[in-house]
Amino acid sequence: MRAAVVTEFGGPEAVELVETDVPEPAAGQVRIKVAAAALNPVDAEVRAGAFGAGGGGAGERLGFGWDVAGTVDAVGARAARWTVGDEVVALHEGLFKSLGTHADYVVVDAGAVAGAPASVDAVHAAALPLNALTAAQALDLLDVGPGQSLLVTGAAGAVGGYATQLAARRGISVTALARESDEELVRSLGASRFTAGAVGAGSVAAVLDAAVLGGGALEWVRDGGVYVGVIPGASPAAVRGVRVGTVEVVGDGVRLAELVGLVDAGALTARVAEVVPLAEVAKAHARLEEGGVRGRVVLVP
């Protein structure tokens, strides 16, 4: 099969499409024939070496891709919930892996798999797992209730957009921080307030910092509030009694199934910016590098 990998860190040109053996599922795993897989900023950061080698990047192979939509192709022992032919979505977590979802086939833990949405195609389904689970798990950490105020930075992005929809659905008063040109978009996702940068110090109960603003966003949280970032271990120091944390997304097939249900109910929007053939994976990385992407660039074998 084909798989997108990097053996030396660098720009989009460092991405290679190589031929490799089709992986076999071990106990508790399933193999998925990939129909679509999203390209995320974390993939670009792995490619550039932002997280270090992790056992690769210096002549050793690192694969890309966390999201997958496709069809179960093989089932390992103790993964009886799934059968060959099931249409599914899944999260294949982990920064450092020799093979990711940017391939013709991928093996994932059965517990990270959910049935695919019935209302959207595989391309749109592939935009769901990483970003929607990150948003949902970040909201769990924030523990903000109905009527409380939440500022979502980067609200027009993938994580921020899902978080805005999920929070608004819970009755949380969402202020969306985004570019002026994105106001209509974020309001359509459920934001009750919009700002392109003017946020008063201590004006909200909580911040979900999807734009990775750090200390600047922390200043907008009132004393005793809560701040959650999206890069594990990279949160600013706590001040004024503000509870500070970061979300580290984990595969959760049960939670993912709930999010799939929200997609099918029309309550969660999977956004796709572009579709790129797997054979042109370096082009997809270059497009992501340009910035300004609203929705995910999705690779299709």
Side-chain angles (χ1 to χ4, degrees):
M1 72 168 193
R2 301 167 302 162
V5 303
V6 65
T7 55
E8 298 291 339
F9 297 132
E13 71 285 348
V15 182
E16 303 175 63
L17 195 63
V18 300
E19 293 286 336
T20 189
D21 293 337
V22 175
E24 294 296 330
Q29 295 181 323
V30 299
R31 185 172 67 210
I32 298 171
K33 183 177 182 180
V34 179
L39 174 67
N40 289 281
V42 66
D43 297 308
E45 291 164 357
V46 168
R47 184 204 72 224
F51 304 108
E60 295 188 40
R61 186 175 74 183
L62 287 176
F64 300 104
W66 294 56
D67 301 286
V68 61
T71 306
V72 173
D73 173 74
V75 178
R78 301 197 301 277
R81 178 183 173 188
W82 303 106
T83 59
V84 172
D86 287 343
E87 294 185 2
V88 296
V89 290
L91 180 71
H92 184 34
E93 65 185 89
L95 289 173
F96 305 117
K97 46 208 176 193
S98 61
L99 292 173
T101 64
H102 298 172
D104 290 316
Y105 296 88
V106 64
V107 166
V108 301
D109 291 338
V113 179
S119 59
V120 298
D121 60 16
V123 167
H124 286 79
L128 185 69
L130 174 60
N131 296 288
L133 280 171
T134 298
Q137 292 171 10
L139 289 172
D140 292 345
L141 288 175
L142 285 163
D143 194 24
V144 180
Q148 291 186 282
S149 56
L150 170 67
L151 174 69
V152 178
T153 73
V159 172
Y162 285 130
T164 297
Q165 286 190 297
L166 291 170
R169 180 178 173 81
R170 297 183 187 183
I172 297 167
S173 176
V174 179
T175 297
L177 174 62
R179 296 178 182 176
E180 289 184 3
S181 58
D182 289 319
E183 179 175 2
E184 182 179 354
L185 168 63
V186 296
R187 287 193 182 276
S188 75
L189 298 176
S192 55
R193 296 178 179 83
F194 170 81
T195 179
V199 181
S203 61
V204 293
V207 165
L208 198 171
D209 189 16
V212 198
L213 302 181
L218 182 62
E219 291 301 313
W220 301 327
V221 183
R222 66 182 55 140
D223 295 0
V226 58
Y227 166 102
V228 167
V230 296
I231 298 183
S235 59
V239 294
R240 299 179 287 103
V242 175
R243 178 168 59 87
V244 171
T246 56
V247 60
E248 186 165 1
V249 67
V250 294
D252 183 341
V254 173
R255 193 64 176 281
L256 183 55
E258 294 173 0
L259 296 167
V260 165
L262 292 177
V263 171
D264 283 339
L268 206 58
T269 306
R271 292 179 288 146
V272 173
E274 289 185 32
V275 180
V276 178
L278 179 62
E280 300 176 17
V281 60
K283 174 184 173 182
H285 276 255
R287 175 65 189 95
L288 187 63
E289 202 102 313
E290 291 172 7
V293 177
R294 291 294 174 261
R296 279 289 161 254
V297 175
V298 177
L299 295 164
V300 292

